[in-house]
Amino acid sequence: MPTSPADPHLPAVHLRPPRNWINDPNGLVFHGGHYHVFFQYNPHGPWHTNVHWGHFRSPDLITWEPLPVALAPTPGGQDADGCYSGNAVSVDGRMVAFYSAHRHGRWWQPVTTAESYDNGRTWVKRPHPLIPEPPAGTTMYRDPYVWRQNDRWRMLVGSALGDGRGAALLYESDDLEHWTYRGPFHASDTAADSDPVGWECPQYATFGDRGALIVSDWTPQDGPSHTTVHTGREEHGRFTAATAPVPLDHGPDFYAPALLKAPGQDRWLLWAWAWEARDDAWAHEAGWAGVLTLPREVSLTADGTVTQRPARELLALRGARTLHRTGHVTRALPAELGQVGHSFDLSAALIPDPTGTSGLRLLTSADGSEYLDIHVDPRAGHLVVDRSHASQDPRARGGAYTLPCPAATHPGSPVVLRVIVDRSIAEIYAADGQVLTLRFYPLGEGPWRLQARTTGAVRSEFAVEAWDLNPSGTLMEPTLAGRGQDA
C-alpha cells in the first residue's frame, strides 16, 4: 500500500521508511565510521508479520542512508517466521548480529547470528543456532543483548521464569562462539497476587561501577506493556537494584528501547519504538505503522536517577526560528505566541501560576477545537500532556499522561521544557531529564499555532522559542537485495 508523500502524519525527521511496518530498534552499532540502526521491519505491508531487519546508517546522526535489508526469514529455517529482536557488535573488521529466531508454535526463540564483512550490505547467517535451547525453568526466552566488558563478552537474554517473574539471563564468552550460562542477572519481584510478566529486550549500560538495566515488560494477557529501568550495581554476575524500578519514559507510546555506547565517548545513546495510537485499520489505510524515537543521550545521576535528553547532534536539524516570545498570561485571555510548522523543536521556560494549571496549547485546527495541551500542575507536582482533543478522528486514542515535575512545586521557579513535535509524534523533555513520548494525529488544515494559557487566579509567565525542523533528506525503503543468507 503506497503512502502519499503528502501524508500529514508521516514524520519528517524521525527514522523510519516511508511505507510498511516497523517496530523494535535492533543492532545499534558504530562500525566503519557510521552509526548503524537496524529495526524490525515488514517490507510487504503495515502489519506485524514476516519480520526482517531493516537497516539505515549515518555518519553524524543527522543524515541517514538506507542500506539493503540485512536479515530475512529463511523458508524452513529456524527463523522461518521472523528474524526477531537482538543487537550487533563490531569486532575484527566485521559486524556480528545476534537475533531471535522465530517460528510459530515454539514458545522460545533460539539465539543465532549473522555476519557482515562489507559494512552491512550483505550478511551470512550461521548454519545452526548459537544457543538453541533455553535454560530449564523458563517460560519465555528471546531478545539477546551482547556487549564487551573488560576482557569478556557478555549476553543478556529476555525471559520469564516458571514462578511468574520476568528475568534477564546472563551468558559469558571469550570468543563470541562458545557461551556459558551464568544464571539470572536480575529478576522482578513477585507479589502473591501479581500477574505473570516476561522481560523483553533487556539492555544494560554501565556508568563506572554502577549500572542501569532497561527491560520491556510483556504480559501473556496483553503483550507489550511498558518499559522500566533498574539502577544499581553488579557483583559476580548478579545485579542488585539500589532503588525500585521506575518508568524509563512516562508516555503511552514508548517500548523496546535499545542502547549504543558512542565511539570514543563516555556517552550512551538510545532509540525506542513509538507504536501507533490509532486503530489498525487507519494505519493499514495509510500504508505504514511505527516510528523510532529520535536518538537520546542517557545519563545516571549521583542519586541513581536515569535521565535523558535529545542527542546533541539534533540541534543541527533546527532551521529558521519561527517564534520567540516572552510575557505573561492570565485566566481571562490566552496569549497568542505565533505559528509553528508541523515539525518543530521548542524550548520553553514557564513560571506557573501556583493557584491553577499553566502551560502551552498547540492548536492544529483553524477553529481551535483540535489541540494538544502541555501544562504544569503545581499542586500535584506534575507535567501533564493531554491529547484528548488532539484529533478530530475518533479512531485516534486520547488520554492525559503525567511525568513528575518537582520544579513546579517551588513558587516562582521556572519549569524548563524542550518539546520536539514531528507531525504525529511528540517527545517532551523536562530539564531534570524525565521524558514523555506520545503519538497524536491532527486533521485540521492550515497552520498550527501556539498559545500560553493558565487556569490560575494570578498569572503565569513564559519564555518560548521554536524552530522548524529541516529533514536531512528523503529516507527511501531498504531494498531486499542484501538480505541475510544461510552459510
Side-chain angles (χ1 to χ4, degrees):
M1 297 181 184
T3 299
S4 166
D7 186 332
H9 301 127
L10 189 68
V13 299
H14 284 71
L15 193 59
R16 67 149 292 120
R19 287 175 296 274
N20 301 320
W21 170 275
I22 74 165
N23 59 295
D24 306 2
N26 294 147
L28 306 184
V29 62
F30 189 85
H31 179 85
H34 288 83
Y35 296 92
H36 294 259
V37 172
F38 303 84
F39 50 93
Q40 298 281 275
Y41 171 59
N42 178 5
H44 305 300
W47 41 81
H48 186 222
T49 188
N50 194 34
V51 173
H52 297 51
W53 273 32
H55 187 189
F56 287 106
R57 73 174 186 177
S58 171
D60 54 11
L61 300 180
I62 298 296
T63 305
W64 292 92
E65 171 192 3
L67 266 65
V69 165
L71 303 175
T74 298
Q78 291 285 340
D79 60 8
D81 297 310
C83 300
Y84 276 22
S85 294
N87 82 324
V89 298
S90 173
V91 58
D92 299 333
R94 73 190 194 276
M95 279 192 283
V96 183
F98 296 80
Y99 69 100
S100 302
H102 176 59
R103 292 194 70 160
H104 297 318
R106 183 176 60 195
W107 64 261
W108 75 97
Q109 297 172 13
V111 175
T112 192
T113 68
E115 296 187 358
S116 174
Y117 287 85
D118 58 1
N119 296 315
R121 294 189 176 276
T122 60
W123 294 78
V124 176
K125 298 178 182 178
R126 67 182 299 114
H128 305 290
L130 181 69
I131 304 176
E133 299 281 345
T138 56
T139 59
M140 188 184 93
Y141 186 84
R142 52 180 175 261
D143 307 338
Y145 172 72
V146 176
W147 78 103
R148 183 79 171 176
Q149 187 171 346
N150 300 325
D151 59 349
R152 57 189 168 176
W153 293 99
R154 314 187 81 193
M155 178 195 297
L156 296 180
V157 180
S159 181
L161 304 180
D163 60 7
R165 293 182 296 157
L169 308 181
L170 177 65
Y171 294 78
E172 293 183 336
S173 172
D174 293 325
D175 58 7
L176 292 179
E177 285 291 326
H178 303 89
W179 292 86
T180 301
Y181 176 53
R182 299 298 189 191
F185 184 68
H186 191 54
S188 62
D189 294 329
T190 301
D193 59 348
S194 64
D195 293 326
V197 66
W199 281 356
E200 295 191 294
C201 303
Q203 306 282 303
Y204 188 62
T206 55
F207 302 88
D209 64 347
R210 299 181 300 159
L213 174 66
I214 298 170
V215 295
S216 294
D217 284 24
W218 181 95
T219 66
Q221 299 81 14
D222 302 315
S225 175
H226 61 281
T227 300
T228 54
V229 58
H230 307 242
T231 60
R233 285 179 168 83
E234 179 204 348
E235 186 174 7
H236 306 306
R238 297 294 181 270
F239 179 82
T240 300
T243 58
V246 295
L248 182 65
D249 187 290
H250 297 269
D253 305 317
F254 177 98
Y255 196 73
L259 289 167
L260 167 64
K261 192 164 190 180
Q265 306 173 40
D266 189 18
R267 181 170 69 130
W268 287 94
L269 299 173
L270 177 146
W271 284 258
W273 168 35
W275 51 43
E276 295 300 310
R278 54 182 173 174
D279 285 359
D280 289 345
W282 188 359
H284 295 168
E285 291 169 10
W288 63 277
V291 63
L292 300 188
T293 64
L294 292 171
R296 305 174 179 181
E297 298 181 12
V298 179
S299 302
L300 185 63
T301 65
D303 68 358
T305 300
V306 170
T307 64
Q308 301 169 74
R309 67 174 187 175
R312 61 199 69 173
E313 289 87 347
L314 299 181
L315 291 173
L317 290 174
R318 286 180 174 178
R321 188 171 70 175
T322 55
L323 65 83
H324 180 202
R325 291 288 306 276
T326 61
H328 69 270
V329 63
T330 65
R331 181 169 55 192
L333 187 67
E336 297 289 342
L337 305 184
Q339 294 183 1
V340 292
H342 294 195
S343 296
F344 63 88
D345 187 348
L346 177 147
S347 294
L350 309 173
I351 299 180
D353 186 328
T355 66
T357 62
S358 306
L360 303 174
R361 176 170 290 184
L362 174 63
L363 297 109
T364 56
S365 66
D367 64 1
S369 64
E370 186 181 76
Y371 55 86
L372 179 72
D373 266 341
I374 302 171
H375 63 259
V376 178
D377 184 340
R379 286 170 289 194
H382 288 155
L383 180 76
V384 182
V385 184
D386 189 345
R387 66 180 180 192
S388 300
H389 302 277
S391 179
Q392 296 169 347
D393 193 312
R395 297 176 295 175
R397 295 182 195 136
Y401 304 89
T402 65
L403 62 76
C405 189
T409 63
H410 303 292
S413 296
V415 174
V416 178
L417 304 175
R418 183 162 173 201
V419 179
I420 300 178
V421 171
D422 190 11
R423 297 184 180 173
S424 67
I425 181 172
E427 299 184 47
I428 297 98
Y429 297 80
D432 65 357
Q434 299 306 297
V435 194
L436 190 154
T437 301
L438 56 66
R439 306 291 306 280
F440 71 114
Y441 306 90
L443 297 186
E445 297 181 357
W448 291 0
R449 66 188 197 276
L450 277 172
Q451 290 178 343
R453 305 173 70 93
T454 185
T455 65
V458 189
R459 73 179 199 175
S460 173
E461 299 178 18
F462 60 83
V464 180
E465 287 185 277
W467 296 261
D468 281 337
L469 289 174
N470 291 331
S472 59
T474 302
L475 290 176
M476 302 302 293
E477 205 81 16
T479 67
L480 291 171
R483 60 188 184 273
Q485 303 295 321
D486 289 338

